[in-house]
Amino acid sequence: AQKVTQAQTEISVVEKEDVTLDCVYETRDTTYYLFWYKQPPSGELVFLIRRNSFDEQNEISGRYSWNFQKSTSSFNFTITASQVVDSAVYFCALSEGSGGGADGLTFGKGTHLIIQP
Amino acid sequence: EAQVTQNPRYLITVTGKKLTVTCSQNMNHEYMSWYRQDPGLGLRQIYYSMNVEVTDKGDVPEGYKVSRKEKRNFPLILESPSPNQTSLYFCASSLSRLTYEQYFGPGTRLTVT
């Protein structure tokens, strides 16, 4: 069965520090998709990135970067020079290629990121 | 504007009083689903629909019903709500069940007393 683990329940850093959010996944499929979503205090879920299992290239988008490593089943998310507006709960999620069991995204429990001014 | 809408956004009700949370998307997406979010548990899928008249259970379907009579709408029905269904509910849609991002509605905060 698929599983996503976000071991960091809460992280608090001071503004301008770099911070990495960890995500470890489990799946038996060779084809799968990994996602990160942001949930700001207002409550909506904001899509950040999608990565398929065949593309291990790291990605950078502004201050955000993602490190996908199949060897360690990890898909970590780094925010460089954090800002107060980055404060949110961040969810890592997995979708399997075969669709066995519940047919949708399996979410981690989320990491609450607090950026202090 | 591409969006998923949910109504109501907030609802307080009493045990046993049937309620429906509506969900509508304007992107012609085939795949729609419902999730509930609870503290410490993340988001868990309740039901999903691959297309019109095609629905199936997710991880936590007990106490819920859904229907998909039109492509754009996917209402969530609680026939006899109980306090353990107090939660934040999200509707989502996507082009396909696996490969594309899911667009989420704004959420419905339900309290059952």
Side-chain angles (χ1 to χ4, degrees):
Chain A
Q2 58 193 48
K3 184 179 177 182
V4 176
T5 302
Q6 295 180 256
Q8 304 149 311
T9 304
E10 184 174 289
I11 300 174
S12 181
V13 300
V14 177
E15 198 172 21
K16 297 183 183 177
E17 285 186 17
D18 299 347
V19 58
T20 296
L21 283 60
D22 298 333
C23 173
V24 175
Y25 62 92
E26 294 178 28
T27 177
R28 293 176 183 169
D29 278 13
T30 56
T31 301
Y32 53 89
Y33 301 85
L34 294 163
F35 302 79
W36 276 94
Y37 283 86
K38 173 182 180 180
Q39 187 175 43
S42 50
E44 73 272 22
L45 285 160
V46 179
F47 168 80
L48 295 178
I49 190 171
R50 173 178 63 93
R51 173 70 68 214
N52 73 57
S53 54
F54 299 108
D55 182 3
E56 283 195 76
Q57 265 194 321
N58 292 331
E59 180 149 342
I60 298 175
S61 176
R63 296 183 297 106
Y64 295 172
S65 62
W66 290 268
N67 183 2
F68 176 29
Q69 291 196 333
K70 289 177 74 171
S71 61
T72 56
S73 297
S74 64
F75 187 43
N76 297 337
F77 172 33
T78 297
I79 301 175
T80 303
S82 60
Q83 299 176 1
V84 172
V85 293
D86 295 326
S87 296
V89 179
Y90 290 86
F91 291 98
C92 181
L94 167 71
S95 179
E96 286 182 330
S98 66
D103 205 25
L105 290 174
T106 295
F107 283 84
K109 294 183 179 180
T111 297
H112 185 198
L113 177 63
I114 301 168
I115 310 296
Q116 299 179 13
Chain B
E1 179 191 356
Q3 61 181 355
V4 179
T5 57
Q6 292 178 230
N7 283 293
R9 295 289 313 279
Y10 303 90
L11 179 59
I12 301 174
T13 189
V14 296
T15 298
K17 185 177 180 181
K18 180 180 179 179
L19 67 93
T20 299
V21 183
T22 65
C23 172
S24 183
Q25 50 93 4
N26 62 1
M27 296 168 278
N28 202 37
H29 285 169
E30 291 189 346
Y31 183 83
M32 297 184 74
S33 59
W34 278 100
Y35 295 84
R36 61 177 288 173
Q37 182 180 8
D38 301 290
L41 296 177
L43 285 90
R44 295 175 293 169
Q45 191 181 49
I46 303 170
Y47 268 95
Y48 65 93
S49 170
M50 303 277 280
N51 213 323
V52 175
E53 303 291 1
V54 181
T55 64
D56 208 345
K57 298 176 181 179
D59 290 317
V60 289
E62 295 76 22
Y64 305 94
K65 285 175 58 177
V66 293
S67 68
R68 187 94 181 270
K69 299 190 188 310
E70 304 168 282
K71 198 171 188 178
R72 63 183 293 128
N73 296 324
F74 190 45
L76 179 69
I77 303 158
L78 285 72
E79 295 269 2
S80 182
S82 63
N84 65 12
Q85 293 178 298
T86 293
S87 188
L88 178 59
Y89 291 87
F90 287 98
C91 179
S93 75
S94 64
L95 279 171
S96 80
R97 66 185 174 90
L98 295 170
T99 61
Y100 295 91
E101 68 171 284
Q102 292 201 30
Y103 292 80
F104 285 85
T108 294
R109 187 165 293 280
L110 172 65
T111 301
V112 183
T113 61

